[in-house]
Amino acid sequence: MHKKTVGVLMVLLIELFSGCFLQKEYRYTVVGQFDTVIEIIGFSSQKETDRYGQTAEALLKKWNALCDAYHPYDGVNGVYAVNKSSGWTEVSDELYALLKFGVQGYEKTDGAVNMMCGAVSRLWKNVTQPPQQSILKEAMTHTDINALEFDDTNRRVRITDPKAALDLGAFAKGYACGGAVGKRRFYRNFKRDFLRGGDRRADGARGDSRPEGRRIRTNRDAARQGAGYKRR
């Protein structure tokens, strides 16, 4: 009985270590989008990983331009343009859907997720000391989600409070991550992990169809390892 138990354990250990250590990983790293490090891990081949990574990088670059609240991009009516406009701004289908989704997120979380927080978050940009409490409290009065209005007929949005502003932050990162994964589901036997400062998204299966068992590496890890996270 003892020998039989040991034999079963040995088989289980061999299977465990085969799944965890013998499955080769291929990596493609993106630096510069959403102010963080994005790593894509594949299990098919380096060629397939690079192929998917380049497509995902282009999509993430597009989303970064749409969602950046602090920098303008030529030919892009993104969050920056909406914040700067005093009236209606026509936006892309993708951004319009994201902003609608953001309102739903606000409602489902009882306001815990609020993309209309720009009046507060911009106080922390390029500062050496925390803003005074009185300034923060005043800014908080300009975070009403209802200040963002939609025109479904013309696909336009506007902010009715002149002191309010959008800041999608991590909300946009997660949304872009899901969008990038969903665009390439035809890559079979291929799994993609997006590791963006703790965000993780996977799709598909490993080449051997075993469940996932991957170590998460965040942008904090990247900062520690430096050259180890240079883009391929």
Side-chain angles (χ1 to χ4, degrees):
M1 181 69 179
H2 177 70
K3 291 182 179 179
K4 184 177 181 181
T5 302
V6 172
V8 172
L9 288 174
M10 286 297 292
V11 171
L12 290 174
L13 285 171
I14 290 171
E15 290 185 352
L16 175 63
F17 278 88
S18 295
C20 291
F21 296 105
L22 299 184
Q23 183 71 28
K24 187 173 182 179
E25 297 179 350
Y26 304 92
R27 298 170 184 271
Y28 184 97
T29 305
V30 181
V31 179
Q33 306 306 319
F34 293 100
D35 293 326
T36 190
V37 172
I38 302 166
E39 184 172 48
I40 300 166
I41 304 173
F43 295 91
S44 178
S45 68
Q46 190 61 59
K47 182 179 179 180
E48 283 288 287
T49 303
D50 289 346
R51 181 184 172 195
Y52 176 78
Q54 290 163 8
T55 301
E57 182 175 10
L59 288 167
L60 291 164
K61 184 177 181 180
K62 174 183 177 181
W63 276 108
N64 182 70
L66 286 172
C67 300
D68 192 338
Y70 300 99
H71 305 96
Y73 296 83
D74 292 338
V76 177
N77 273 355
V79 170
Y80 179 88
V82 174
N83 284 342
K84 291 295 182 180
S85 176
S86 58
W88 290 102
T89 302
E90 184 177 346
V91 298
S92 65
D93 290 331
E94 296 96 333
L95 182 56
Y96 197 81
L98 171 56
L99 295 177
K100 283 275 191 175
F101 185 67
V103 173
Q104 295 174 14
Y106 178 91
E107 294 170 347
K108 290 181 179 180
T109 62
D110 294 326
V113 177
N114 185 5
M115 61 185 177
M116 191 59 71
C117 64
V120 176
S121 60
R122 64 189 175 194
L123 294 176
W124 298 91
K125 298 290 288 186
N126 304 318
V127 297
T128 56
Q129 293 186 6
Q132 296 178 0
Q133 286 296 316
S134 59
I135 296 176
L136 286 170
K137 289 181 179 179
E138 198 280 331
M140 285 294 294
T141 64
H142 301 286
T143 59
D144 185 358
I145 195 71
N146 295 310
L148 180 64
E149 294 187 346
F150 295 86
D151 177 2
D152 293 338
T153 302
N154 299 297
R155 204 183 65 228
R156 301 184 303 174
V157 296
R158 70 176 178 181
I159 300 174
T160 56
D161 181 351
K163 292 186 178 181
L166 289 164
D167 189 339
L168 277 59
F171 182 81
K173 293 179 185 180
Y175 193 91
C177 172
V181 168
K183 286 288 185 180
R184 287 294 179 271
R185 292 189 181 278
F186 59 80
Y187 282 81
R188 295 181 180 180
N189 297 323
F190 190 74
K191 189 197 84 170
R192 284 86 69 182
D193 280 355
F194 288 76
L195 310 179
R196 263 195 325 287
D199 292 332
R200 179 180 181 182
R201 180 65 185 261
D203 178 53
R206 288 168 41 171
D208 57 7
S209 299
R210 291 193 180 109
E212 300 176 56
R214 291 294 148 214
R215 181 169 63 91
I216 295 178
R217 303 178 74 181
T218 68
N219 59 346
R220 188 162 43 186
D221 298 321
R224 290 178 183 147
Q225 297 191 16
Y229 264 74
K230 287 184 179 178
R231 185 181 138 195
R232 294 185 184 277

